Amino acid sequence: MIISVLNQKGGVGKTTLAIHISHALVLKGYSVLLVDADPQGSARDWAAARANQPPFPVVGLDRPTIHRDLPALVKDFDHVVIDGPPRVSDLARSAIIAADLVVIPIQPSPYDIWAADQIIKLIQEASVFKENIKSVFVINRKIVNTAIGRDVVEALEQYPIPVLKASISQRVAFAESAASGSTVLETEKLGAAAKEVMALVDELMSLGV
Ligand SMILES: Nc1ncnc2c1ncn2[C@@H]1O[C@H](COP(=O)(O)OP(=O)(O)OP(=O)(O)O)[C@@H](O)[C@H]1O
Ligand SMILES: [Mg+2]
């Protein structure tokens, strides 16, 4: 399956989720390629910050030809995860057309909900080139023990895209693990953040894409 993690809004957790989804899939026994489609190169920086080999290869494809370039690369992998760029529409469009599933991280804030208009519009435009693009929202940085997560799910009901049951909370472990090119699945294997990531990936795998 090719999963594109996309949202034109910056800083919503695209790179964090793309890296964690990739690692979780590796821990489930799959071979995974992470494609860094962001000219900022954050996923490549993450891999470079590691002392050893990352648990999955990370390659940069940051031209709007991802959908053309990917087929030659994907045949060697069970799953490919694309870390999308903020803003750049032509790259995001290419990453949508390349994908079987578009995962849209969204923070529990009204600004993020309003900004979701943009990515939805882009997905609708891309459906001209590729029908039946499956896409889902995933709440990231939910504040533990608050009701705001529920409000966000209600606010997102105005959009034609479902919200996953699994969500990822705001946890310092995510930022800490990134600094060393690691993931919470390594640094806090049995922690709450790791459990949320595994539950997210279980739900993605159960979508039947
Ligand atoms: N669930 C979380 N808990 C705590 N910190 C988080 C969480 N998700 C992301 N972050 C932090 O928020 C910042 C932005 O996350 P990230 O870089 O993944 O977003 P992005 O959407 O890829 O940004 P960009 O649009 O610049 O590519 C990072 O410092 C990251 O460590
Ligand atoms: Mg990023």
Side-chain angles (χ1 to χ4, degrees):
M1 168 158 65
I2 301 178
I3 302 173
S4 279
V5 185
L6 289 172
N7 192 332
Q8 277 151 297
K9 186 150 195 312
V12 294
K14 295 179 287 295
T15 303
T16 302
L17 291 192
I19 288 169
H20 280 84
I21 290 168
S22 298
H23 197 185
L25 288 169
V26 168
L27 295 176
K28 286 180 177 294
Y30 296 109
S31 62
V32 178
L33 174 69
L34 176 59
V35 172
D36 185 351
D38 183 355
Q40 290 180 107
S42 310
R44 281 165 278 178
D45 288 342
W46 169 85
R50 286 182 74 88
N52 54 9
Q53 286 281 329
F56 43 83
V58 181
V59 298
L61 280 186
D62 52 17
R63 295 293 176 271
T65 49
I66 305 163
H67 58 291
R68 276 194 345 230
D69 300 337
L70 212 51
L73 293 171
V74 300
K75 56 183 189 318
D76 297 329
F77 297 93
D78 297 320
H79 298 292
V80 176
V81 180
I82 302 176
D83 176 21
R87 296 179 298 276
V88 210
S89 312
D90 55 349
L91 273 171
R93 194 175 294 118
S94 180
I96 292 169
I97 298 168
D100 301 311
L101 175 67
V102 178
V103 173
I104 308 166
I106 192 155
Q107 299 175 105
S109 120
Y111 305 116
D112 277 44
I113 292 161
W114 297 326
D117 265 2
Q118 290 183 35
I119 183 69
I120 288 166
K121 192 157 164 266
L122 210 59
I123 292 172
Q124 281 165 348
E125 285 169 15
S127 1
V128 176
F129 302 98
K130 186 177 177 184
E131 276 177 78
N132 306 324
I133 298 167
K134 178 121 187 163
S135 40
V136 292
F137 284 119
V138 55
I139 311 284
N140 181 36
R141 308 188 86 155
K142 194 168 89 181
I143 312 290
V144 180
N145 295 331
T146 59
I148 194 159
R150 212 178 319 126
D151 296 345
V152 171
V153 172
E154 272 170 31
L156 287 172
E157 276 168 8
Q158 62 180 297
Y159 294 120
I161 291 178
V163 184
L164 292 182
K165 282 196 200 72
S167 62
I168 304 292
S169 301
Q170 162 74 31
R171 294 185 199 276
V172 70
F174 284 104
E176 280 173 354
S177 68
S180 56
S182 187
T183 71
V184 301
L185 303 172
E186 290 173 301
T187 55
E188 300 187 16
K189 225 181 266 181
L190 304 174
K195 283 201 187 106
E196 286 181 351
V197 170
M198 294 313 273
L200 166 64
V201 169
D202 284 340
E203 190 171 358
L204 293 177
M205 290 294 110
S206 75
L207 293 175
V209 176

